[in-house]
C-alpha cells in the first residue's frame, strides 16, 4: 500500500509557449478542479504572442509544417486514452499534416489570361486566427478547428471548451513537446462572455472560426468581425477539409509579363 | 585618483521603483497619462540608414502624432544625428517642436575633445536647440573625473544657448552609487539635463536607474534651488513603461516636474504604442501595429 499523497495538477493556460496562470489570478472550479479564468489581458498577450510567431511559422516550408503537425499527432498518440475521440483527433492531425504541401496545388495555380502575361495565384496564411472551440467534444472539437488553421500556416488563439476544459488544456502540454514554435498555438480557458469581445474585436486577429453553434454568440461574433473587418467561418463537424481551409488563406495573384 | 561614492541601497531602490510600477492607471487617468507622456517624448531616430526623407516623415509625425485625434499633443522634440539636424530644423520650423541632436561621438564617445566640440558647434549652427552628449565612459571608469567634468564644461560652452543633456550611459556603470556619482558630476559641470542611456547599450532607462537619477536631481534642487531635467531613454517602448516613468517622477519630484521642460522620454517605438492604447480607450478594440505609420 502506497502512503504517498498524490500531487494534484495545477491547470494553466498555454500562452506564448509557456504554461501560465491567468494574468488576473482568477480561477473557476470545474469538476472539483480550479481552472484558470482567462481575462482580456490574457487574450491580448495571446494575440501578441501569436502575431510574433505567425511570421516565422508562415515562412517555414510546407513540408516542414507538415512534419511538425505529424509530430503533434505522434505526441498526442502517447496521451491518448484509447478512445475513438482521441483516435479521430490524431487521424485528423495526420490528415492536415498531409494537406500542408498540397494547399498551393489545390487552391492556387496558373490562371488563363487573354494577354501576354503569366498569371498565377498562390495561397498565403491569413495570419492570426481566433478559434472558439465547441463545448463538446472537448478534444476532438478543438483539434478539428486548430488543425486546418495550423496546416494553412496561421497562428492560433483558441478559447477551449467552457464546460470541460481540462483535457483541452492538456493539449498545450502535447503542443509544447511537438516542435510547434512558441506562440503559434495558444490555448485559453475561461468564460466566453468575457473573452469573446477582446478576442473577436482585436484588430490584430485576421479570421475567426466560430464552432460554438450558438446563435447568440454568432450574432456577437458577426458584429465584432464586421467592426474590425475579419473573416468568420462556421464549420460543422461534417464540413470537408477544403471548405475549412479556404477561409484561412489569402490568395495572392501575380501577373508576370512574358515575351512572345 | 580616488573618489568617494555616496552609497545607494540597491535593494531598496529596486523595490521602491518596482512598487511604483504596480499602480493601476485606467480610463481618464490613463488618457491624461498618455497625452502627457506623448508631450514628453523626444522622438528619436538614430540609425545608419536615416535619410532626409525618413527624418521629414518623423518630423511630420512629431508635430501631429495622430491626425484623427487633435487632442493628442505634439511631442517635445525630434532627436537625430548631427548630419540630419538641418533637415529636421527645416521640417519643424514654427511648429514648437524642438530639434535635438546627439553629438560628441555618439554613442561611444571615443573621439578627441576637438572633434566633440566641432560636432557640437556644427549641430547647434544647423539649428539644434538641444544637444545630447555622451560622457567619456573610458575616462569615468578609469576614475578620471576631472576629464569627464572638463569635457562637459567645454561642450556646454560650445552649446551656447542650446540646452545640454548629458548621457551617463548607466548600462556601462557598475552600480547605482556610480549612477548617482556620475549624475552629480554632470550636474556640477553644468548639465541642463541628465539622461540615462544612449539606447545603443545592453539596457536602458530601467525604473531603478531613473529613480536614482530623479533622487539626485531632487537632492540637488533642495540644496541649491537649481532645476535639472531628467531624460529617460532606452527601453521605454510601451505605454505601461511610460506611465511607470511618470509615476516615478511624480512620487520623487512632484507635479512641477511633470512637464516636458523637466522630464523627457527618449523613444522611437513608444509613440505608436501610446497611440494604439489611446485608440483602444476610444474605440474599445485592441489595435494592431499596421494601423499606425512607422515614421
Amino acid at each position: 500500500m502506497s502512503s504517498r499523497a498524490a500531487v494534484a495538477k495545477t491547470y494553466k493556460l498555454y500562452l506564448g509557449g509557456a504554461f501560465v496562470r491567468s494574468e488576473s489570478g482568477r480561477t473557476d472550479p470545474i469538476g472539483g478542479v480550479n481552472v484558470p479564468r482567462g481575462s482580456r489581458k490574457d487574450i491580448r498577450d495571446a494575440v501578441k504572442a501569436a502575431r510574433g510567431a505567425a511570421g516565422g511559422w508562415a515562412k517555414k516550408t510546407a513540408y516542414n509544417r507538415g512534419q511538425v503537425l505529424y509530430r503533434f499527432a505522434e505526441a498526442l498518440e502517447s496521451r491518448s486514452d484509447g478512445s475513438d475521440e482521441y483516435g479521430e483527433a490524431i487521424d485528423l492531425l495526420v490528415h492536415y499534416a498531409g494537406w500542408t504541401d498540397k494547399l498551393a496545388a489545390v487552391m492556387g495555380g496558373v490562371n488563363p489570361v487573354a494577354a501576354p502575361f503569366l498569371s498565377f495565384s498562390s495561397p498565403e496564411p491569413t495570419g492570426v486566427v481566433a478559434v472558439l472551440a465547441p463545448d463538446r467534444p472537448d478534444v476532438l472539437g478543438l483539434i478539428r478547428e486548430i488543425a486546418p488553421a495550423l496546416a494553412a500556416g496561421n497562428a492560433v488563439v483558441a478559447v477551449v471548451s467552457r464546460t470541460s476544459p481540462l483535457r483541452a488544456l492538456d493539449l498545450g502540454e502535447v503542443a509544447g513537446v511537438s516542435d510547434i514554435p512558441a506562440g503559434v498555438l495558444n490555448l485559453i480557458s475561461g468564460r466566453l462572455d468575457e473573452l469573446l469581445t477582446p478576442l473577436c474585436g482585436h484588430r490584430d486577429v485576421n479570421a475567426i472560426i466560430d464552432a460554438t453553434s450558438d446563435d447568440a454568440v454568432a450574432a456577437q461574433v458577426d458584429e465584432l468581425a464586421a467592426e474590425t473587418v475579419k473573416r468568420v467561418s462556421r464549420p460543422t463537424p461534417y464540413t470537408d477539409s477544403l471548405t475549412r481551409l479556404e477561409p484561412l488563406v489569402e490568395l495572392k495573384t501575380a501577373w508576370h509579363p512574358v515575351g512572345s | 585618483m580616488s573618489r568617494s561614492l555616496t552609497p545607494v541601497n540597491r535593494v531598496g531602490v529596486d523595490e521602491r521603483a518596482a512598487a511604483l510600477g504596480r499602480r493601476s492607471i485606467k480610463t481618464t487617468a490613463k488618457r491624461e497619462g498618455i497625452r502627457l507622456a506623448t508631450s514628453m517624448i523626444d522622438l528619436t531616430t538614430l540609425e545608419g540608414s536615416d535619410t532626409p526623407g525618413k527624418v521629414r516623415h518623423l518630423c511630420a509625425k512629431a508635430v501631429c502624432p495622430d491626425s484623427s485625434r487633435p487632442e493628442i499633443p505634439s511631442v517635445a522634440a525630434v532627436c537625430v544625428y548631427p548630419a540630419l539636424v538641418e533637415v529636421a530644423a527645416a521640417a519643424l520650423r514654427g511648429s514648437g517642436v524642438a530639434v535635438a541632436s546627439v553629438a560628441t561621438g555618439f554613442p561611444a564617445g571615443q573621439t578627441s575633445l576637438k572633434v566633440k566640440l566641432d560636432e557640437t558647434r556644427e549641430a547647434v549652427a544647423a539649428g539644434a536647440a538641444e544637444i545630447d552628449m555622451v560622457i567619456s565612459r573610458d575616462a569615468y571608469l578609469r576614475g578620471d573625473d576631472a576629464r569627464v567634468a572638463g569635457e562637459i564644461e567645454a561642450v556646454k560652452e560650445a552649446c551656447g544657448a542650446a540646452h545640454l543633456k548629458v548621457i551617463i550611459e548607466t548600462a556601462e556603470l557598475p552600480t547605482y552609487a556610480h549612477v548617482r556619482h556620475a549624475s552629480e558630476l554632470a550636474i556640477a559641470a553644468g548639465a541642463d539635463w541628465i539622461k540615462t542611456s544612449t539606447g545603443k547599450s545592453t539596457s536602458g532607462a530601467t525604473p531603478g536607474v531613473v529613480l536614482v537619477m530623479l533622487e539626485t536631481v531632487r537632492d540637488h534642487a533642495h540644496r541649491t534651488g537649481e532645476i535639472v531635467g531628467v531624460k529617460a531613454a532606452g527601453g521605454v517602448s510601451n505605454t505601461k513603461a511610460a506611465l511607470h516613468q511618470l509615476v516615478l517622477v511624480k512620487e520623487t519630484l512632484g507635479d512641477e516636474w511633470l512637464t516636458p521642460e523637466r522630464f523627457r522620454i527618449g523613444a522611437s517605438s513608444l509613440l505608436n504604442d501610446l497611440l494604439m492604447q489611446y485608440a483602444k480607450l476610444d474605440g474599445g478594440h485592441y489595435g494592431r501595429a499596421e494601423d499606425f505609420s512607422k515614421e
Side-chain angles (χ1 to χ4, degrees):
Chain A
M1 191 186 106
S2 167
S3 61
R4 69 177 287 277
V7 177
K9 178 168 169 177
T10 308
Y11 280 87
K12 296 190 182 177
L13 309 175
Y14 183 55
L15 211 159
F19 299 94
V20 294
R21 292 180 169 82
S22 168
E23 173 273 344
S24 64
R26 304 174 304 177
T27 54
D28 273 333
I30 296 175
V33 179
N34 284 330
V35 176
R37 180 173 156 197
S39 67
R40 55 183 190 196
K41 179 71 162 64
D42 292 321
I43 291 284
R44 199 177 142 205
D45 291 345
V47 174
K48 198 171 173 197
R51 174 57 63 196
W57 181 238
K59 244 195 215 122
K60 284 191 189 296
T61 61
Y63 172 70
N64 189 207
R65 271 203 302 275
Q67 282 185 314
V68 171
L69 279 181
Y70 190 78
R71 173 88 185 138
F72 192 6
E74 286 174 7
L76 187 56
E77 185 79 59
S78 65
R79 289 286 190 126
S80 167
D81 59 4
S83 65
D84 286 350
E85 185 184 347
Y86 272 93
E88 197 178 336
I90 293 161
D91 290 351
L92 261 178
L93 281 171
V94 174
H95 172 79
Y96 281 104
W99 259 107
T100 54
D101 56 0
K102 294 162 190 77
L103 269 179
V106 175
M107 290 188 186
V110 177
N111 312 313
V113 289
F117 291 96
L118 171 67
S119 168
F120 55 96
S121 301
S122 51
E124 293 190 344
T126 191
V128 174
V129 175
V131 169
L132 307 177
D135 280 329
R136 288 195 175 281
D138 50 351
V139 171
L140 179 59
L142 180 62
I143 293 284
R144 203 148 40 202
E145 311 311 332
I146 64 174
L150 294 174
N154 300 292
V156 172
V157 177
V159 178
V160 303
S161 164
R162 276 66 61 196
T163 52
S164 42
L166 300 187
R167 297 198 302 174
L169 286 178
D170 276 343
L171 281 180
E173 291 169 19
V174 178
V177 296
S178 68
D179 301 337
I180 290 187
V184 167
L185 176 62
N186 304 277
L187 302 175
I188 294 185
S189 57
R191 302 181 183 178
L192 203 56
D193 58 341
E194 287 178 350
L195 302 177
L196 194 70
T197 311
L199 180 57
C200 298
H202 198 306
R203 291 183 52 76
D204 220 1
V205 170
N206 302 100
I208 303 169
I209 304 175
D210 170 15
T212 57
S213 38
D214 178 326
D215 289 342
V217 169
Q220 268 193 70
V221 168
D222 283 346
E223 192 178 328
L224 289 164
E227 274 172 21
T228 51
V229 197
K230 51 182 70 117
R231 194 179 285 144
V232 181
S233 61
R234 290 205 172 77
T236 70
Y238 309 104
T239 307
D240 65 279
S241 313
L242 192 57
T243 312
R244 283 177 186 278
L245 286 162
E246 261 168 350
L248 303 173
V249 299
E250 308 293 333
L251 272 190
K252 184 171 83 177
T253 298
W255 293 63
H256 198 287
V258 286
S260 51
Chain B
M1 258 169 280
S2 71
R3 58 161 77 112
S4 67
L5 295 179
T6 314
V8 177
N9 176 349
R10 179 175 60 83
V11 175
V13 165
D14 283 341
E15 205 162 286
R16 178 164 169 75
L20 291 176
R22 273 185 222 116
R23 290 198 183 162
S24 174
I25 300 170
K26 305 277 183 207
T27 59
T28 322
K30 188 170 184 182
R31 241 176 238 277
E32 273 183 36
I34 289 175
R35 287 204 298 267
L36 185 60
T38 305
S39 73
M40 289 174 166
I41 290 180
D42 275 8
L43 197 58
T44 303
T45 180
L46 295 169
E47 303 295 334
S49 56
D50 289 347
T51 58
K54 186 177 164 192
V55 169
R56 275 186 216 108
H57 276 286
L58 196 73
C59 291
K61 184 156 180 177
V63 175
C64 179
D66 188 342
S67 52
S68 62
R69 294 191 175 80
E71 74 271 26
I72 297 204
S74 301
V75 305
V78 170
C79 184
V80 293
Y81 273 122
L84 291 155
V85 167
E86 214 169 330
V87 177
L92 293 172
R93 191 158 294 136
S95 68
V97 177
V99 182
S101 170
V102 295
T104 74
F106 181 93
Q110 300 273 30
T111 57
S112 70
L113 181 59
K114 180 182 175 302
V115 172
K116 291 179 182 181
L117 295 178
D118 284 349
E119 198 183 9
T120 306
R121 286 195 197 98
E122 259 178 45
V124 173
E130 301 171 2
I131 296 293
D132 291 25
M133 76 168 285
V134 289
I135 62 167
S136 297
R137 273 93 72 198
D138 62 314
Y140 183 80
L141 293 174
R142 267 184 291 136
D144 194 351
D145 293 349
R147 193 182 133 203
V148 176
E151 283 193 359
I152 297 173
E153 282 161 16
V155 173
K156 169 75 182 159
E157 202 187 322
C159 279
H163 285 248
L164 177 64
K165 302 186 201 129
V166 177
I167 305 171
I168 60 175
E169 190 63 312
T170 53
E172 294 177 6
L173 306 181
T175 67
Y176 283 159
H178 289 89
V179 170
R180 183 170 178 110
H181 177 262
S183 302
E184 284 167 351
L185 188 70
I187 293 169
D192 299 305
W193 292 73
I194 49 175
K195 173 175 166 185
T196 57
S197 319
T198 58
K200 303 282 184 196
S201 191
T202 48
S203 78
T206 60
V209 153
V210 175
L211 184 59
V212 170
M213 291 174 68
L214 289 168
E215 284 177 349
T216 311
V217 164
R218 180 190 63 193
D219 295 348
H220 181 75
H222 281 177
R223 219 171 31 244
T224 64
E226 283 170 19
I227 286 159
V228 176
V230 176
K231 176 169 167 184
V236 187
S237 56
N238 58 42
T239 302
K240 196 169 184 177
L243 294 177
H244 188 176
Q245 301 282 349
L246 297 187
V247 173
L248 289 173
V249 174
K250 181 174 167 64
E251 292 303 321
T252 313
L253 284 155
D255 284 342
E256 65 217 330
W257 244 267
L258 282 176
T259 127
E261 278 81 53
R262 299 192 187 181
F263 186 76
R264 295 273 181 89
I265 301 170
S268 44
S269 54
L270 170 64
L271 182 56
N272 271 358
D273 194 66
L274 289 170
L275 297 177
M276 201 157 93
Q277 294 293 329
Y278 202 88
K280 160 75 173 71
L281 290 171
D282 270 355
H285 295 310
Y286 288 126
R288 59 177 170 183
E290 297 102 286
D291 292 346
F292 301 91
S293 67
K294 286 211 181 77
E295 271 124 34

